Amino acid sequence: MALLRQHAPADHAELPGPATEQALRAAEERMGISLPEDLRTWLLQNNLDLPEEDVEDDVACCGFAGFPDEGSFFLGIRAMEGLYANHYTRGGFNPPDQPDNPFWRNEWIPFLSDQDGWMGKFIDVRDGRIGRWFVGDITVTGEYESLAQYFDSVAETLKKIAEGRHPVCEITEGRLVWS
């Protein structure tokens, strides 16, 4: 977030503040799952839920477009909870006959998504590893060993953008502009 503030201050200025501990506890209770400590730390610094008046009813997920890339965005706790509820399955994994290779497990908490909720990244509460899903495709687990490792990759991307070395993004008037 410091890199975003430094290189794209106009985008950074529009981000809301942190979640409260009370909001996180309430979401955990509704979801029936505890947030991993690193996700909790992130949300206590950066709850990226849109203000209620900016939420569009016809999109599955909403957030601040254009960060970390042009097609997806980090979810705030409200959006995480909504997307988690959409994927939640009574048996614990989906499809129920593929426990070793499911499309979705209830131990996965989404933290990044596209507007349709068809693809994104999740953190596995069992081991903290980061995976990605795409509806209709194979879910990938262990894409990153931790949320910190994933954020390091985002920081590297922001550095490339700031240095003018990214093929499809530049900074214009303090904003990330994707082509």
Side-chain angles (χ1 to χ4, degrees):
M1 294 310 274
L3 285 171
L4 185 66
R5 181 177 50 245
Q6 177 184 355
H7 298 296
D11 283 337
H12 186 272
E14 293 178 353
L15 300 177
T20 64
E21 187 63 49
Q22 180 182 3
L24 296 183
R25 281 194 304 271
E28 286 175 322
E29 188 173 317
R30 286 187 296 269
M31 291 189 296
I33 195 165
S34 295
L35 299 173
E37 196 57 39
D38 49 358
L39 182 60
R40 177 182 230 55
T41 299
W42 163 254
L43 291 166
L44 288 171
Q45 295 173 20
N46 307 288
N47 181 29
L48 300 180
D49 276 323
L50 287 176
E52 289 286 337
E53 62 272 10
D54 293 341
V55 174
E56 297 179 35
D57 293 334
D58 59 338
V59 297
C61 290
C62 55
F64 287 84
F67 180 66
D69 60 44
E70 66 180 323
S72 58
F73 46 83
F74 290 116
L75 302 175
I77 189 63
R78 211 174 48 240
M80 277 180 199
E81 186 178 351
L83 189 53
Y84 180 83
N86 286 342
H87 286 296
Y88 181 86
T89 183
R90 188 176 308 225
F93 47 88
N94 183 18
D97 62 338
Q98 296 183 25
D100 296 328
N101 192 24
F103 163 73
W104 191 262
R105 296 186 73 86
N106 290 349
E107 295 94 355
W108 297 342
I109 300 176
F111 68 89
L112 180 130
S113 180
D114 67 339
Q115 282 191 336
D116 298 323
W118 285 39
M119 60 180 255
K121 295 199 182 299
F122 60 83
I123 186 167
D124 189 326
V125 300
R126 298 172 301 169
D127 58 15
R129 293 184 315 149
I130 305 303
R132 65 180 155 85
W133 86 91
F134 190 102
V135 172
D137 204 354
I138 296 171
T139 299
V140 176
T141 57
E143 185 178 28
Y144 295 92
E145 288 301 312
S146 67
L147 195 57
Q149 186 185 51
Y150 169 71
F151 282 133
D152 285 345
S153 76
V154 172
E156 286 304 312
T157 300
L158 283 172
K159 288 176 190 175
K160 286 179 184 176
I161 294 167
E163 294 167 355
R165 298 185 299 117
H166 196 277
V168 296
C169 188
E170 63 185 4
I171 298 173
T172 304
E173 297 180 7
R175 296 192 179 283
L176 298 172
V177 179
W178 300 86
S179 56

